[in-house]
Amino acid sequence: PMVGAAIADFMATGADPMPEGGDHKDTEILPDDDETTVKLKELISEMIRPEIQKDGGDLVFHGVEDGWVKLQLTGSCVGCPSSTETLQGGIDGLLKHYLPDLKGVMHVDG
């Protein structure tokens, strides 16, 4: 009953179901994040995520392992024929521009 009421309230307000700058815990800066991780989280939340969201997609940052940035594409990016180019061409190039010591970007499943 509470879920139905929440959905009805949402529908009545006409609010955006994916508000810009929503609650993305994956890019929250934590006290133990190193300098590279902080910069990655900033780049993702300020530059990359807003562009991905314009097309109905999103991404989740899963960390860095041995110089590889682990990302999961979600939303309309799932199954999109351009998602590989977005990940390998666009995101990889942008991140390496700002953080040249990175090896690259790899897609991970949730």
Side-chain angles (χ1 to χ4, degrees):
M2 293 179 64
V3 172
I7 292 172
D9 289 344
F10 168 78
M11 296 301 287
T13 65
D16 185 349
M18 293 182 67
E20 194 169 317
D23 186 20
H24 295 286
K25 297 287 186 187
D26 61 315
T27 52
E28 180 180 319
I29 308 290
L30 303 174
D32 59 340
D33 285 343
D34 61 25
E35 187 177 330
T36 299
T37 301
V38 169
K39 185 66 176 173
L40 281 167
K41 288 180 175 182
E42 290 171 347
L43 289 168
I44 290 167
S45 63
E46 296 169 15
M47 296 180 74
I48 299 170
R49 180 171 278 134
E51 293 300 315
I52 301 284
Q53 288 176 335
K54 284 181 184 178
D55 290 326
D58 207 344
L59 73 156
V60 179
F61 174 66
H62 286 275
V64 182
E65 187 176 314
D66 298 323
W68 290 93
V69 180
K70 300 185 297 184
L71 298 174
Q72 176 187 6
L73 294 174
T74 63
S76 66
C77 293
V78 176
C80 173
S82 300
S83 63
T84 300
E85 179 58 31
T86 298
L87 192 66
Q88 298 301 323
I91 297 172
D92 184 81
L94 180 98
L95 293 179
K96 284 181 179 176
H97 173 77
Y98 288 99
L99 297 161
D101 291 337
L102 291 177
K103 291 180 183 174
V105 174
M106 62 187 298
H107 181 264
V108 296
D109 294 319

